[in-house]
Amino acid sequence: MQADLFGVAYPPGLAALRGFALAEAEALLAVIGQVSAVAPFRNMVTPGGHAMSAAMTNAGLGWVTDRKGYRYTAEDPESGARWPDLPEVLVGLGARAGAAAGFAGFTPDGCLINRYDVGAKMGLHQDINEGDMSAPIVSVSLGAPAVFLFGGLKRSDPVMKIVVEHGDVVVWGGPARLAYHGVMPVKAGVRYNLTLRKAL
Ligand code: MD6
Ligand code: FE
């Protein structure tokens, strides 16, 4: 059984695959460069009007937020342009990581790319905008380390801290699919995160 820094057991449905993407990390950073050259990172605004501290872009079906709400779109609502296609290297990585975590048959159709500069964070939330909750979320960490927070199905449930480093992949699905999660403020450097999802 996997356990966090303090020996707390991971809940069923959560897996941390240490270094799973390390061998292809340079290729993934190149993909981020290519996607963001076409669809630049920006700090999207929540429906409540607050700019998110992590900057975002997408490939394939894209997760967006603006005053109209949170949703998946084929086009960037700001530019009207389709998000760049989801590169095969991301489809393959998502499928392999999903399978390694017990979710055989997972095929992502979208990738949200987050960039965390110093101080950027992600508050506790559930990923509820996807159409198929039987598919897991595959989250790839690149660049600077961060503390990933993983709680339970209620916001008030205890939260475990998982240090995620360059090349680590965290997968959650099944009984953990709707768990609250977030990211503590990045202390130094720049962190990228790829979240591979089945949006539809
Ligand atoms: C991370 N991101 O950046 C985790 N979820 O490590 C998320 O959990 C996330 O960035 C939903 C929507 C946008 C996100
Ligand atoms: Fe999330």
Side-chain angles (χ1 to χ4, degrees):
M1 181 181 290
Q2 288 191 300
D4 80 351
L5 270 185
F6 310 102
V8 178
Y10 284 12
L14 171 67
L17 309 174
R18 299 290 175 195
F20 191 88
L22 202 49
E24 53 196 313
E26 293 303 318
L28 298 173
L29 288 169
V31 162
I32 293 172
Q34 287 157 10
V35 170
S36 62
V38 176
F41 283 103
R42 70 168 186 269
N43 295 91
M44 295 189 193
V45 175
T46 65
H50 301 283
M52 296 187 70
S53 62
M56 297 180 183
T57 186
N58 288 283
L61 288 169
W63 184 86
V64 300
T65 174
D66 57 17
R67 296 305 296 239
K68 292 181 185 162
Y70 304 113
R71 63 205 182 275
Y72 282 93
T73 62
E75 294 96 21
D76 180 347
E78 200 165 278
S79 70
R82 288 180 68 86
W83 298 109
D85 287 341
L86 185 62
E88 277 307 316
V89 61
L90 296 186
V91 178
L93 173 61
R96 278 184 287 113
F103 301 96
F106 172 61
T107 307
D109 58 13
C111 181
L112 168 67
I113 307 175
N114 293 308
R115 189 190 72 214
Y116 294 80
D117 297 319
V118 172
K121 62 182 168 54
M122 180 85 55
L124 277 184
H125 66 277
Q126 297 169 297
D127 288 8
I128 55 168
N129 302 122
E130 298 74 27
D132 178 3
M133 291 295 161
S134 72
I137 301 284
V138 171
S139 168
V140 182
S141 292
L142 295 166
V147 176
F148 184 65
L149 302 170
F150 204 84
L153 300 180
K154 298 196 305 279
R155 185 180 289 278
S156 57
D157 285 340
V159 167
M160 63 169 61
K161 294 181 174 181
I162 301 170
V163 176
V164 283
E165 296 182 322
H166 183 66
D168 289 349
V169 179
V170 177
V171 182
W172 62 98
R177 178 61 180 76
L178 290 173
Y180 277 88
H181 59 278
V183 180
M184 287 185 57
V186 167
K187 288 198 171 145
V190 181
R191 171 178 185 257
Y192 292 95
N193 175 259
L194 305 169
T195 42
L196 292 154
R197 292 110 185 278
K198 194 156 177 334
L200 293 183

